[in-house]
């Protein structure tokens, strides 16, 4: 019987605020890219019933037309819904292997935009 657990799934979804203006750059391959620095709030109640809150920060990469539009319309404070895939990374630093995770956006929905500095 094939069920939900027979499939692979690699997806992230975040709703949060951009922490600095999005700036377009070019990847080594020549593709246009941006890095979105996103603050995502979460809250819960502790054992005594007190509300607690924490902000998590994520660095998200976007490429191509998605990146171009983000750089054009998203400034610091913009609220967005971002979804995409998680990609493990590995590189050598000072003779040691360093592991990390990249968040690669496949979609960005603009929920409340703030123009980047220098744009009306």
């Amino acid at each position: 019987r094939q069920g939900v657990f027979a499939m692979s799934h690699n997806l992230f979804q975040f709703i949060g605020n951009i922490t600095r203006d999005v700036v377009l750059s070019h990847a080594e391959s020549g593709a246009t890219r941006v890095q979105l620095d996103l603050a995502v709030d979460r809250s819960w109640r502790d054992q005594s019933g007190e509300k607690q809150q924490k902000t998590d920060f994520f660095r998200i990469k976007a490429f191509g037309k998605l990146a171009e539009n983000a750089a054009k319309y998203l400034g610091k404070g913009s609220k967005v819904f971002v979804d995409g895939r998680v990609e493990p990374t590995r590189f050598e630093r000072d003779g040691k292997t360093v592991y990390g995770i990249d968040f690669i956006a496949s979609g960005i929905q603009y929920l409340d935009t703030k123009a980047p500095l220098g744009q009306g």
Side-chain angles (χ1 to χ4, degrees):
R1 174 180 143 199
Q2 289 253 328
V4 170
F5 299 107
M7 301 185 323
S8 294
H9 190 75
N10 180 347
L11 175 69
F12 74 84
Q13 297 179 321
F14 297 131
I15 295 175
N17 292 83
I18 303 292
T19 62
R20 63 183 177 139
D21 285 350
V22 176
V23 178
L24 191 65
S25 64
H26 297 279
E28 290 178 13
S29 66
T32 52
R33 68 173 275 196
V34 294
Q35 176 178 295
L36 304 172
D37 291 330
L38 194 67
V40 178
D41 294 330
R42 59 186 168 104
S43 60
W44 69 95
R45 296 217 178 263
D46 64 17
Q47 290 180 343
S48 65
E50 293 291 319
K51 185 175 181 179
Q52 302 293 319
Q53 185 167 336
K54 184 175 189 299
T55 301
D56 298 314
F57 297 91
F58 298 94
R59 233 176 221 157
I60 301 165
K61 296 178 182 178
F63 297 91
K65 193 67 170 169
L66 192 64
E68 292 169 19
N69 286 334
K72 188 174 182 180
Y73 297 111
L74 297 177
K76 180 179 179 177
S78 295
K79 185 178 224 47
V80 293
F81 170 85
V82 182
D83 67 316
R85 64 185 168 80
V86 178
E87 185 174 283
T89 61
R90 182 176 79 190
F91 60 93
E92 298 293 323
R93 179 186 294 157
D94 300 327
K96 294 183 180 180
T97 303
V98 178
Y99 297 92
I101 295 177
D102 281 347
F103 295 94
I104 310 298
S106 59
I108 303 172
Q109 294 180 29
Y110 302 177
L111 303 177
D112 181 22
T113 59
K114 311 280 187 216
L117 289 177
Q119 293 189 21

